[in-house]
Amino acid sequence: MFTATAESFLKQAREIQEEELRRFASRVAAVLQGPELGPEAADCLQRLHLTVAATKYPRKLDGKFVELLQTLLCSPKCPEQIQLLCAAILREMSPCNDLILSCDEIQDAKLLSLVSSVLLAQGNKKGEVSAVGQRIVKVLERRVPESQSARYLLPILSNVISLSPESLTEEQTNVVSKKMADWLRYASTQQGVAQPSGGFFSSPRTRQPGPVTEIDGAIATDFFTVLSVGQYYTEDQWLNMQAFSMLRNWLLCYGAKGLKTPSSDNKSGMDRSVMAVVSTTSTPGRLLPPKDRLREKAFEYCQRLIEQSNRRPLKKDDGELQKACLIEAVTIMDVICKQDSSYVYRAVSFLKILHGRISGDATYARALLPIAQFFLNHGKMAAVDSDAIYKHLLSDIPAQLFHNPSLAFEFVQFCKDNTQLFTETSSIFRQSFPNLFKFLAWNSPPLISEFVDLLPFLLDAGTAVEIFHLLLDLPCLTAALDIQLRSAALPTSERAACDPAVKPTTCLEAFRHPQYKSMFQYLLRTKSTPEDAPERLIPLRQLLGSLASSPRVMQCAETVPVLLELFFRVVAEFADGTLINQLVVLLLQRSDQLYEVPAFKDDVYRVLSSQLVMLCRLRPVLVVELSTEILEFSGAVSNIQNKEAIFTHMVWAIGEYMSVSYDKRCTVEQINRFFETLEAMLFEITQLRPLASTPSYAPRAISVLMATLTKLAARSQDLIPRVSMFLSKMRTFVQSPAVTSVYSEEDLEEILIRATELMNLLKMPSVAQFVFTPPVDVASTRFQREVNDSLPFALRIVTRLLEPAPGFVTG
Amino acid sequence: MVRAFVLLALGGPGPPRPAPCRVLYARAFGNPPETDNPPGTGDPPRQRLRRKEQLLAVARQVATQCQLLQSSSGRPSSPQLPQLPDEPMPLQDAPGGLFQLPPGDPFPERVTVAWLSVVALAFALVCDPQENVSLAEITLRRLVPRLLASLRLLGPGADVLLRPEAADVLLDRLLPHGQMLFLNEHFLQAVDREMGIKASR
């Protein structure tokens, strides 16, 4: 491919040294000052452009040379290609300190466009944007609309007002508004003529051009718009198209009732009040102030576009433009109604009819969003019941069109623009969140950052549990959506109902099978529906296992850890005791019920385990309150193997919070019960089986079990002898050949050191008690807070106290 | 307003060796006045550097999104397209998409990026967030085949680097000063006629 050539050119361009560049620039200058500006000049400038553009640091070009470029750019005899290249080089070097370019004297519109592109790239340090704006308006004022070149100017103006709306005075905006209203409303409805080809023998045959047509071929029924068709276009028709293209931007900048532009006219105060009083519906066009008149014409234009969008285009690609026009027209109507609420009544009935027309057509789905936004903004004022519109939008559209990435993107943006609607618990918006997640499940990479913004608004005490399950099952949802799509694509002949007695062999069969149907339906639901028995989806997850390594599912799986962490962070802010407890129980339960996507489980366990600790820290008493569930979890040996992260963190939390200082209800019996369970676990994983091979467990699981047992013993001191004895046996464990072959040397050494330190600590029970069970109000020192650091630190101090190094004095 | 147009080479891990994503042509429309920046960051070389880095950041994001989209649809790296350098090509199945970049990364305000990819290249429009995204997609689908033809992007040469004025001409007609245009097919033909491009149908 071309990449190799391009790479080598770029490399050469980057490596050109300053001296070589200087020499080249003088050579170019010589060529440019020559009599003829031919291909050699173009070639030189092209290479120069590449050299300047190829580096991130700016290239130094001689001031005189830069001036030459500017002179050449403005020179009337300069060929167009050379002008373009000069402008390109100047833009590439921008911002420049030493530009002498000015647009003040330029008459030719094309040249003005080129020069403006350079000036607008300077960053407005010297008011270049305003200067350009002033010049454009001046040229527009003087020109009659039929002139050849006015259409090069409108885009510049649009750029100017985007960069700096203050560039134009009120008088100037009025001038332009007046012209825009004329261009929008009164462009010719006759087609243009082909430019005469010229030549000696051609006779200028003036064939009468016909009228413009609609997009479906019919003769135009009303004024010219961007959806009007002709073979050739007249100048005012070009201006019509361009005026519409920049209309929304213009109205947003200057259409509001409160004037933001500096007024040049003393009468402006009076004008303002006059404009506020004038009614816009009944006054004939000419008498309205320019801003109001433009609004009126713009509104009519949008209405016409909406009517025109009903026609079936002859050219297929025009259909796409029709839809874009529809979206733009509705959006502009929304802007107009925000600026002048007297338009609301006219707009509302119109848009309701439009909605009725397109709501059943999937190809128009994207247009439903600005319509819904309109009703959200103005529906209340018009006392219109728009619930049906929102319901259709939120229930049907995501379910049918989740796989359309552009719609997905725009839909989520719509949600982000209206987050206040999601905070109402009973609102249609809030209830539709399962539908919204379908967009994320199918189109994960572009939408994950949008959902990170959106998720906090969906979460509250009522939805937290359901969203927790939903997040864990998100990749499962992706798989289910895949099946749904494939099932819908099957010809109806193959979609026969299947025999309920026969077990389905493929996912597609299962989709219609009565045993799985309700599970699919739950996963693919469109409304929030809390599920009391989440384990009923287990067979579905197993069934969908065949899709677990599909790329789309795996991409979705990667988004889950991020969302889970965010979930817990948000929930921690509002959750009460009941919810926290509920989440901990569910966390432990769901750890068994995860979709088997490669690497997914490990990532989820990692997040869940750290969040488990966070929840325990937030509400330490849960260890006592949920002792049954926690005992059950920490007493299953399989959990050490399969869910090591969660197990380890759970055991740590037991050691930390199962104490009277955190919960007065913590009894000695409870401590003993936990002790026995954990002791049995440690025994199980450290016992030496001479005949069978020794399975290996995570060393930190062993470590944390030892530490927790020690902590519990420090609180119920009858247990101390048992622990001490156990710990003393760790030396045998660590040194046995069966074990040394399975664990690494460093790990075993660490285990032994830890066991020794713990044993030493238990020799001073009161110290142990202090270290492991500080009074709660002292617990906020850094010493206690840093779980993973402080314990070894404490142990090492104690060990040093008990086994003094030479020169170290015991207390 | 469209803030910028970027034409990039996607790069990627492929044989013969991994290639970085490269900006081959970029056009920024206007330089927003930097009112909020801390003083001292406003001097011209830094502004220029910032612009270049911002566009490179966009290019990298586009390359990533393109890669992820390709892998999620299970598509292998695109086969060679038939070389019809003189005709605007239809782009029905070309991968493309939309994504947002948050404020501060890399532009001070939020921006929406619309992108389209053909073989090993991608084309992106960086838009203000309230822009008509449907029109942005249409504009891209019109720009791409004309750029492919005019700069012979599917061939072995490096016209894209050496003939920036060819790209400028196209942008000046279809996206003048960053203004997207509501051009129906006949208007588009009129534009093509003015540029000297033969009508395809």
Side-chain angles (χ1 to χ4, degrees), chain A residues 1-3 5-7 9-10 14 46-47 49-50 52-53 55-59 80-81 84-85 88 91-97 110 113-114 116-117 120-125 151-152 155-156 158-159 162-164 215 224 226-233 237-238 241-242 244-246 248-249 315-318 320-321 324-325 327-328 366 405-406 409-410 413 416-417 445-446 449-450 551-552 555, chain B residues 1 9 19-20 22-34 42-45 47-49 51-53 56 60 65 67-69 71-74 80 92 96-101 110 112-113 119-121 128 130-135 137-138 141-142 153-158 160-165 168-169 172-173 176-187 189-191 193-194 201:
Chain A
M1 287 226 79
F2 76 97
T3 327
T5 328
E7 283 287 330
F9 271 117
L10 280 173
R14 288 208 187 102
Q46 286 169 339
R47 284 175 193 274
H49 177 270
L50 179 57
V52 172
T55 56
K56 280 190 190 169
Y57 65 89
R59 292 286 200 172
E80 189 184 347
Q81 187 189 22
L84 287 169
L85 283 165
R91 274 195 311 263
E92 185 50 54
M93 291 170 50
S94 295
C96 295
N97 276 329
K110 262 192 173 180
S113 175
L114 260 185
S116 303
S117 73
L120 293 178
Q122 302 309 313
N124 210 22
K125 279 273 169 59
R151 63 174 152 119
Y152 296 109
I156 311 176
S158 185
N159 202 350
S162 300
L163 292 172
S164 168
I215 218 155
F224 183 92
V226 292
L227 289 178
S228 302
V229 167
Q231 276 298 105
Y232 298 90
Y233 290 92
Q237 289 168 346
W238 281 98
M241 179 272 293
Q242 285 188 329
F244 177 70
S245 299
M246 66 182 272
R248 189 197 331 180
N249 205 4
K315 290 190 181 246
K316 184 166 152 293
D317 286 338
D318 275 338
E320 295 307 311
L321 189 77
C325 285
I327 291 174
E328 187 77 3
R366 285 169 85 174
S406 306
F409 178 81
E410 292 203 270
Q413 292 310 311
K416 278 177 68 173
D417 289 337
S449 54
E450 311 307 312
R552 206 178 280 274
Q555 278 183 0
Chain B
M1 180 176 92
R22 285 227 190 276
V23 173
L24 297 172
Y25 170 89
R27 175 80 183 266
F29 298 106
N31 185 353
E34 316 254 353
D43 61 327
Q47 276 192 45
R48 179 176 179 273
L49 176 63
R51 177 181 82 233
K52 289 197 100 68
E53 304 247 273
L56 185 57
R60 281 195 295 256
Q65 292 289 335
Q67 236 167 41
L68 289 169
L69 181 65
S71 67
S72 79
S73 54
Q80 284 278 28
Q92 250 69 325
L98 298 163
F99 61 89
Q100 274 213 340
L101 293 172
R110 209 164 55 133
T112 301
V113 178
V119 199
L121 301 167
D128 286 337
Q130 302 303 324
E131 269 306 333
N132 186 327
V133 157
S134 304
L135 186 60
E137 293 177 321
I138 293 175
R141 261 182 268 133
R142 287 168 172 177
L153 289 170
L154 297 178
V160 62
L161 296 175
L162 290 174
R163 291 178 53 223
E165 76 279 10
D168 284 343
V169 161
D172 282 344
R173 293 303 176 133
H177 293 271
Q179 174 71 59
M180 296 193 291
L181 298 174
F182 286 87
L183 294 167
N184 63 44
E185 285 294 305
H186 280 84
F187 251 122
Q189 273 175 17
V191 170
R193 230 180 286 135
E194 286 185 359
R201 286 183 283 259

Side-chain angles (χ1 to χ4, degrees), chain A residues 84-214:
Chain A
L84 287 169
L85 283 165
C86 289
I89 296 175
L90 289 169
R91 274 195 311 263
E92 185 50 54
M93 291 170 50
S94 295
C96 295
N97 276 329
D98 15 89
L99 272 192
I100 54 165
L101 266 186
S102 148
C103 53
D104 286 340
E105 299 304 316
I106 302 179
Q107 302 291 338
D108 177 55
K110 262 192 173 180
L111 179 59
L112 190 49
S113 175
L114 260 185
V115 170
S116 303
S117 73
V118 177
L119 289 174
L120 293 178
Q122 302 309 313
N124 210 22
K125 279 273 169 59
K126 301 184 206 154
E128 293 96 341
V129 176
S130 180
V132 169
Q134 303 291 316
R135 182 78 196 140
I136 303 289
V137 175
K138 207 169 282 178
V139 175
L140 278 176
E141 267 180 308
R142 251 184 275 133
R143 299 264 176 191
V144 266
E146 286 77 40
S147 139
Q148 252 289 353
S149 40
R151 63 174 152 119
Y152 296 109
L153 304 178
L154 281 186
I156 311 176
L157 197 58
S158 185
N159 202 350
V160 163
I161 69 174
S162 300
L163 292 172
S164 168
E166 316 82 46
S167 307
L168 303 182
T169 66
E170 186 194 330
E171 209 177 293
Q172 288 171 327
T173 61
N174 283 342
V175 163
V176 177
S177 297
K178 211 179 291 180
K179 287 189 176 281
M180 279 181 71
D182 286 334
W183 290 327
L184 286 175
R185 188 61 182 76
Y186 300 114
S188 160
T189 48
Q190 294 295 313
Q191 293 195 27
V193 245
Q195 297 294 351
S197 47
F200 190 70
F201 292 106
S202 71
S203 53
R205 237 176 249 248
T206 44
R207 210 181 63 207
Q208 276 291 60
V212 297
T213 61
E214 300 289 348

